[in-house]
Amino acid sequence: MSDSLNVRCPARVWRGRRWSEACGSSAPGGETWFKMFSKWSWLLQAVCTLLSIYSFGVSDGYAQSCGYITPESAVVSLESSFTAYCILSDYCLDYGNLRADKVIWRIQTKVVPKEHYSIINETVSRVTFNDTSILASPLTCNILVAGSIEQNIYGIQVALGFSPDKPENLSCIVHQTGRKTYSQTCTWEPGRYTFLDTNYTLKSRWPNEEFPDCLGANNSCTSTVVVFFVDLEVWVEAKNALGVVESDRIVFDPIKHVKPLPPSNLSLNSGEFPRVLKLSWENLFHEAPLELRFQIRYKIIDSINWIQVPLEDTATHRDSFFIQDLRPNTKYVFQLRCVTSWGEHWSDWSKEVVGFTAEDKPTKGPDLWRKISPVHSPENWTLVLIWKELNPSEANGIILKYDVSILGKPPLHFQQQFYSLNTTQLTLNVENGTYEVRIKASNSVGESPASVLLIPATNSRAPVKNLTAFPKDGKLWVEWTVPKTDVNRYIIEWYEECDNLTCASEWQQESGMKNRTFLRGGIKPRKSYKISVYPLYSNGQGEERSIQAYLEEDAPAIGPTVRTAKVGKTDALIEWEPLSVEEQNGFIKYYNIIYRTATGNETVVFVDPSKTEYPLSSLSSDTLYMVQVAAYTKNGGKRGPAFTFTTKKFAEGEIEAIVVPVCLAILLFTLLGVLFCFNKRDSIKKHIWPNVPDPSKSVIAQWSPQTPSKHFHHSKDQIYPEGSFTDVSVVEIDKKSFSEQDPKPFDLLRKEKNASEGHSSGIGGSSCMSSPRQSVSDSDEGEPAQNTSSTVQYSTVVPNGYRDQIPSVQVFSRSESTQPLLDSEERLEDPPVLGSDNSTPRHRYFKQNCNNDDTVMDEPHLDGAKQISPINEEDAAGPQTLQMCSSGPDEHEVALAGAFHPSPKGLAAEFETMRTNAVTEDEVPKCYLPQTVKQGGYMPQ
């Protein structure tokens, strides 16, 4: 098969041999024509070369190629090498200098490497492939022409594959297709895939005759020509382009390889026997003298496990069979197949047939158990009898009722009672004691044997030992050590642990010969189960033993919630609630406490699972901490929510240790201060709280000699009539000048003071009978020059009559007030005292306006009062404390003038005159106490 591109030259097609004249270099005028177009000469030469590759014979009527490939069409074995030749035609050598060395081989579009080429001669190029797996179609031969243009010469298709393998395992079987029709099918194994079209032919023959060939498909071949009781020789021939091979030959008798049809029309009959079913069928194979053998299998309707009848029981030819030892009142499924007595091929299984066995009385009594709970007192019980429904294999029919009897054992006086129920529970209120309970199950055929349960007052018998529980193969197993005493049976009771009290319990009964079993209830993963085992003896019941178990564990659903129970300065006590059983998902192996500061690293502490609190120590004071608790099972852990707390700044009792001493110190200091102030109260009052009497509440001493003493017995309104006016003047005394005077006159004043202490009259709290203030005589004589001046305040009271009436008595008084006088009340018109020294400040004097009924003090009296020499503060105190009482203003002025007179004799005479003027009962004593005031204020009285 060739594949070439033919480019025909029009000159050769239409003008025959003139192709060489038009394209060849020897054509007339060709040289001149090429010279005219010299710059296009190379292009024209290439075109003419392409046109010269093919030659056309018009007379022959076909186009002749410039070359070809041999072999023409190749089928190449993948297990051998391959060689191809590209042969150029001789008449193409004269055009374009075409030679074999310019041949290029390609596989599809890929260039074959040069090392695979070899040049036989100038017209033959050979290519060899040692690895034929790289071959593909098409394989082409190409050549380079002028201008390095590649032109295809020829191409072939290459088929790759293997020669056929020898067929193996040839076997034949005869299928029964009807009551008298058969077909023979032979199969074989062809071996590896050849990648080529391969034909398999089944050949057969008798010793002296051959049968028509059977062309195989899908490695088998079926023929409808079947002859029994002869030996047939059979083989398979495999053939493709690379070779032919035959299988081994086999010789067999078709009758020995018959696969019969399965029996049909199956039926079941239970009859009167509850444990027997009769299976009947119809055979379809009838080839004498051959007989059939049978195989029967059956199962309960919902089971997946088949039960087979032994082959020796069905080895003879038959059309029915009795199946025994079946369960009463049970639905069964049956199937049947057959094989010839000489054959090896069993028929297919027949269609299923379903049948029921008849009912029978129950084979055993129900499993019986009890639940006991005290009522009001341990002497009374609520006894709940529970039993399980019988399995279908035990019930042998439909259970119609349960008959229960209960009998009290001595010393109880409990007569036997009977109950007929169609439920699986009975509740009784009985006394605490030993009881025997019997129960029977009944169906339409009869009743079961009785199940007996002895309920003792106390479980005093031996319990099981070494109770364990573990998961295995998706089941929860329980294992224990059997007690030494013989046990009739065991009761295994379990319930799913939950937080409420309504968790349902389950139980099962096991034989006394067992020491392990698995729980047959609906056991869930990640749920906690409490399992109890009770051994039951013929004469009592053993104590229970319990264990907790999981079928499958997982990490806890949530982590514990932590909180602080107590927080200190460097420690804290944290606590958490244990996870509920439903949240644990397994056994808690340990707790992890993770705590850290806001910027610190985590600290992890492992805690035993029995603990629910833990003290954290070595903490920093006044620091914020975050703490979490994680619970771990064997399959992982879960952290709870984070909790933050701040440690205290001070430890417990630390504040008290600081505050109590400080408070005690303050209290002690306060007490000492109070004691000091109490002892120095006079000095403190004198320096801090001067006594400033309220002028509106002051008491004014009566000085007028005309005022009888009975005025003191009148009311305050009478002493101070409405409209009275007080003129207050201040006398300033130069202490220095006064201290220079002769102190001798003051000695007499001191003596007079002592003599007249009990007769002075106070004003505003210092009457004539009150204690005298500090006088000149009490003062230290060495202190006359400490202060330069002091102010003595006096008051002049001018009584006015009621509503402009002139009073009959002129009253002179001195105010006890220490408040300073207003400027408007100072007598600025008074001339300075002594008037001889301008540098001496102006001295004010105490002015009395004594208006009697007949006489008024004239100016000379006042002038005499002004002629007072300056004295110091201490000396001025003497006259303050001196209490002078006279009958008239004349004596008073004389006493004043004489007190400050420099002559001792005059002073003594004046005091003598004052003594002779006694105060009568009807007269009001005239008293005064000049006040000594320090500079800048007034001394409290």
Side-chain angles (χ1 to χ4, degrees):
M1 179 179 180
S2 63
D3 184 12
S4 61
L5 300 176
N6 297 324
V7 181
R8 295 173 176 82
C9 181
R12 182 173 293 277
V13 172
W14 300 107
R15 297 178 184 177
R17 300 293 180 182
R18 292 186 61 184
W19 180 87
S20 61
E21 296 177 358
C23 297
S25 59
S26 61
E31 185 178 355
T32 303
W33 188 81
F34 278 111
K35 289 182 180 179
M36 292 176 60
F37 303 95
S38 58
K39 64 179 181 178
W40 302 100
S41 60
W42 66 272
L43 181 59
L44 294 176
Q45 184 178 1
V47 172
C48 291
T49 304
L50 291 175
L51 295 175
S52 65
I53 294 176
Y54 299 96
S55 61
F56 301 89
V58 179
S59 61
D60 295 334
Y62 63 92
Q64 185 176 4
S65 174
C66 198
Y68 62 93
I69 297 175
T70 186
E72 184 69 21
S73 179
V75 178
V76 181
S77 174
L78 291 172
E79 296 178 331
S80 62
S81 62
F82 173 71
T83 300
Y85 299 88
C86 181
I87 303 173
L88 301 178
S89 300
D90 295 336
Y91 57 84
C92 291
L93 299 180
D94 298 334
Y95 302 99
N97 194 21
L98 303 180
R99 298 291 184 269
D101 56 354
K102 294 183 179 181
V103 171
I104 298 175
W105 291 91
R106 284 183 178 272
I107 299 175
Q108 294 180 343
T109 59
K110 184 178 179 181
V111 177
V112 178
K114 292 290 186 179
E115 55 267 21
H116 295 281
Y117 299 179
S118 60
I119 306 301
I120 305 301
N121 52 41
E122 62 179 5
T123 61
V124 179
S125 175
R126 181 179 63 187
V127 64
T128 302
F129 299 95
N130 294 324
D131 183 9
T132 56
S133 61
I134 65 174
L135 282 174
S137 294
L139 176 64
T140 60
C141 173
N142 307 276
I143 194 168
L144 289 176
V145 297
S148 300
I149 298 176
E150 185 176 332
Q151 177 64 43
N152 175 255
I153 297 296
Y154 207 84
I156 62 172
Q157 294 289 338
V158 178
L160 300 175
F162 296 101
S163 60
D165 288 341
K166 179 181 178 181
E168 301 288 344
N169 298 328
L170 175 62
S171 63
C172 296
I173 184 173
V174 177
H175 294 276
Q176 182 182 10
T177 58
R179 289 183 179 271
K180 291 294 183 179
T181 59
Y182 301 90
S183 65
Q184 177 178 294
T185 301
C186 296
T187 59
W188 60 88
E189 294 179 2
R192 63 183 175 180
Y193 184 64
T194 61
F195 300 99
L196 300 174
D197 292 335
T198 303
N199 295 324
Y200 294 90
T201 304
L202 179 65
K203 295 179 179 293
S204 59
R205 70 178 182 179
W206 287 352
N208 298 322
E209 183 181 354
E210 290 188 2
F211 291 95
D213 293 341
C214 178
L215 186 62
N218 298 325
N219 306 324
S220 65
C221 186
T222 301
S223 175
T224 58
V225 179
V226 179
V227 179
F228 292 146
F229 306 107
V230 294
D231 291 333
L232 187 67
E233 183 180 10
V234 179
W235 71 96
V236 176
E237 178 185 84
K239 181 179 180 181
N240 64 14
L242 296 178
V244 178
V245 65
E246 291 182 353
S247 67
D248 294 334
R249 301 188 180 196
I250 61 172
V251 178
F252 69 97
D253 186 353
I255 195 61
K256 295 181 180 180
H257 295 271
V258 174
K259 180 180 179 181
L261 289 173
S264 61
N265 300 328
L266 275 68
S267 63
L268 288 170
N269 185 11
S270 61
E272 298 179 357
F273 302 98
R275 296 180 179 273
V276 178
L277 283 177
K278 180 182 179 182
L279 176 64
S280 301
W281 64 89
E282 179 184 0
N283 294 317
L284 299 178
F285 181 82
H286 300 282
E287 291 291 340
L290 272 72
E291 294 182 351
L292 295 176
R293 294 178 291 131
F294 302 93
Q295 184 178 15
I296 300 172
R297 67 178 184 179
Y298 61 94
K299 67 174 182 177
I300 299 175
I301 186 65
D302 294 326
S303 177
I304 60 173
N305 299 319
W306 289 92
I307 302 173
Q308 292 187 355
V309 177
L311 291 177
E312 56 270 19
D313 294 343
T314 58
T316 59
H317 188 83
R318 65 182 64 227
D319 55 8
S320 64
F321 187 81
F322 286 92
I323 298 96
Q324 302 178 12
D325 297 329
L326 300 178
R327 296 179 182 177
N329 193 44
T330 305
K331 189 176 183 180
Y332 285 93
V333 177
F334 286 84
Q335 280 186 317
L336 179 68
R337 68 178 181 174
C338 61
V339 65
T340 64
S341 56
W342 292 355
E344 300 175 354
H345 301 284
W346 286 91
S347 69
D348 296 331
W349 287 101
S350 67
K351 294 181 179 180
E352 293 182 350
V353 61
V354 179
F356 284 87
T357 55
E359 287 192 4
D360 195 4
K361 63 180 181 180
T363 57
K364 65 183 289 293
D367 293 341
L368 181 61
W369 187 232
R370 88 294 181 273
K371 290 183 179 180
I372 299 174
S373 58
V375 179
H376 305 299
S377 68
E379 300 299 327
N380 295 318
W381 283 352
T382 295
L383 177 61
V384 180
L385 299 175
I386 53 178
W387 55 90
K388 289 184 176 294
E389 294 182 353
L390 293 173
N391 294 328
S393 61
E394 299 168 342
N396 295 336
I398 299 175
I399 300 301
L400 302 177
K401 65 175 181 176
Y402 297 97
D403 295 320
V404 181
S405 66
I406 180 171
L407 175 64
K409 296 290 185 179
L412 292 176
H413 301 286
F414 187 89
Q415 296 182 354
Q416 189 173 11
Q417 297 181 3
F418 298 91
Y419 302 91
S420 181
L421 307 167
N422 57 5
T423 62
T424 59
Q425 181 173 309
L426 175 62
T427 302
L428 300 171
N429 292 323
V430 296
E431 295 181 8
N432 185 350
T434 302
Y435 296 89
E436 182 183 86
V437 181
R438 294 175 176 269
I439 185 171
K440 295 179 181 180
S442 300
N443 60 14
S444 60
V445 177
E447 62 181 17
S448 69
S451 296
V452 181
L453 176 64
L454 184 64
I455 304 175
T458 57
N459 299 334
S460 58
R461 302 302 302 275
V464 298
K465 299 179 181 179
N466 303 324
L467 180 63
T468 59
F470 54 90
K472 181 181 179 181
D473 299 331
K475 298 178 181 179
L476 187 56
W477 288 79
V478 184
E479 188 174 10
W480 62 89
T481 301
V482 178
K484 295 181 179 179
T485 309
D486 292 338
V487 178
N488 289 343
R489 59 188 182 274
Y490 295 96
I491 297 294
I492 292 90
E493 186 179 40
W494 73 91
Y495 61 88
E496 178 185 338
E497 292 187 302
C498 54
D499 294 333
N500 53 47
L501 301 177
T502 60
C503 301
S505 63
E506 297 184 54
W507 60 278
Q508 67 188 47
Q509 179 177 291
E510 297 294 336
S511 170
M513 303 300 295
K514 290 186 177 181
N515 68 337
R516 61 182 296 180
T517 186
F518 64 89
L519 304 184
R520 291 188 287 271
I523 306 299
K524 304 175 185 177
R526 298 182 296 279
K527 297 296 182 181
S528 175
Y529 291 92
K530 186 173 183 181
I531 307 168
S532 302
V533 177
Y534 300 83
L536 302 183
Y537 301 92
S538 58
N539 57 354
Q541 180 176 308
E543 295 180 6
E544 69 170 304
R545 286 294 181 264
S546 301
I547 192 171
Q548 187 180 7
Y550 284 87
L551 175 63
E552 179 183 335
E553 295 189 53
D554 199 357
I558 62 173
T561 301
V562 65
R563 61 180 178 270
T564 54
K566 182 179 180 183
V567 179
K569 179 180 179 182
T570 60
D571 57 353
L573 180 63
I574 63 172
E575 61 182 8
W576 59 91
E577 292 292 336
L579 295 179
S580 65
V581 178
E582 297 173 346
E583 297 168 343
Q584 290 181 8
N585 291 342
F587 294 107
I588 301 299
K589 297 297 183 182
Y590 58 88
Y591 290 107
N592 266 0
I593 300 177
I594 306 100
Y595 64 96
R596 62 179 178 87
T597 60
T599 58
N601 296 327
E602 287 187 349
T603 302
V604 181
V605 180
F606 291 87
V607 182
D608 188 82
S610 62
K611 301 291 184 62
T612 58
E613 63 179 17
Y614 187 81
L616 303 179
S617 58
S618 302
L619 305 179
S620 300
S621 62
D622 195 21
T623 303
L624 179 67
Y625 280 89
M626 185 192 74
V627 62
Q628 288 179 285
V629 176
Y632 281 85
T633 65
K634 69 177 185 179
N635 289 340
K638 186 76 172 181
R639 288 190 181 187
F643 181 80
T644 58
F645 67 92
T646 303
T647 53
K648 294 182 178 180
K649 191 172 184 179
F650 299 98
E652 185 177 357
E654 189 173 353
I655 296 179
E656 292 81 353
I658 297 174
V659 172
V660 170
V662 171
C663 293
L664 292 177
I666 293 174
L667 180 61
L668 180 61
F669 181 77
T670 303
L671 292 176
L672 292 176
V674 170
L675 291 176
F676 177 78
C677 294
F678 183 79
N679 293 332
K680 299 295 183 179
R681 62 185 180 279
D682 295 335
S683 300
I684 294 173
K685 182 177 180 181
K686 179 178 179 180
H687 290 85
I688 299 177
W689 298 289
N691 188 5
V692 183
D694 187 353
S696 65
K697 297 180 181 180
S698 63
V699 179
I700 303 176
Q702 303 290 329
W703 283 6
S704 173
Q706 291 82 3
T707 305
S709 61
K710 66 182 179 180
H711 291 288
F712 287 96
H713 301 286
H714 295 296
S715 65
K716 186 176 180 179
D717 295 334
Q718 292 175 337
I719 297 175
Y720 305 104
E722 182 181 0
S724 61
F725 175 77
T726 302
D727 185 11
V728 181
S729 301
V730 178
V731 178
E732 295 182 0
I733 302 173
D734 191 311
K735 294 181 180 181
K736 184 176 181 181
S737 60
F738 190 82
S739 63
E740 292 176 356
Q741 300 295 327
D742 187 4
K744 292 182 180 181
F746 295 97
D747 296 335
L748 295 176
L749 289 175
R750 295 188 185 100
K751 296 178 182 180
E752 186 68 19
K753 165 183 173 291
N754 295 331
S756 62
E757 238 174 28
H759 304 283
S760 61
S761 176
I763 301 174
S766 296
S767 64
C768 293
M769 299 301 295
S770 64
S771 299
R773 292 174 177 83
Q774 184 179 6
S775 62
V776 175
S777 63
D778 296 331
S779 304
D780 189 7
E781 296 180 359
E783 298 177 356
Q786 289 181 358
N787 297 320
T788 57
S789 64
S790 64
T791 301
V792 179
Q793 179 175 326
Y794 294 88
S795 64
T796 301
V797 179
V798 181
N800 295 328
Y802 179 75
R803 296 186 177 181
D804 297 335
Q805 298 180 9
I806 300 172
S808 61
V809 178
Q810 186 78 29
V811 180
F812 299 90
S813 300
R814 184 183 70 82
S815 175
E816 284 281 353
S817 175
T818 60
Q819 294 182 353
L821 298 177
L822 300 177
D823 291 342
S824 62
E825 295 179 357
E826 295 181 356
R827 305 296 296 269
L828 299 179
E829 69 276 11
D830 294 340
V833 179
L834 300 178
S836 60
D837 191 358
N838 296 330
S839 63
T840 304
R842 179 170 57 91
H843 299 279
R844 296 190 180 170
Y845 59 90
F846 177 73
K847 181 178 179 181
Q848 289 184 346
N849 295 325
C850 300
N851 296 325
N852 296 329
D853 295 337
D854 300 327
T855 63
V856 179
M857 184 179 293
D858 55 2
E859 191 69 21
H861 290 89
L862 297 175
D863 294 339
K866 296 177 183 179
Q867 304 298 322
I868 299 175
S869 301
I871 60 176
N872 58 17
E873 182 179 356
E874 287 77 2
D875 296 336
Q880 287 181 353
T881 60
L882 182 62
Q883 299 179 1
M884 301 177 64
C885 300
S886 62
S887 60
D890 294 336
E891 287 85 358
H892 181 77
E893 279 202 46
V894 170
L896 268 177
F900 297 98
H901 198 277
S903 173
K905 294 180 179 181
L907 182 63
E910 292 295 331
F911 276 98
E912 185 66 23
T913 305
M914 293 172 62
R915 294 188 187 97
T916 58
N917 295 327
V919 181
T920 64
E921 244 178 53
D922 298 333
E923 295 175 345
V924 177
K926 312 317 188 278
C927 302
Y928 72 93
L929 281 176
Q931 301 181 29
T932 302
V933 182
K934 292 184 180 182
Q935 185 175 4
Y938 300 95
M939 289 293 295
Q941 301 182 28

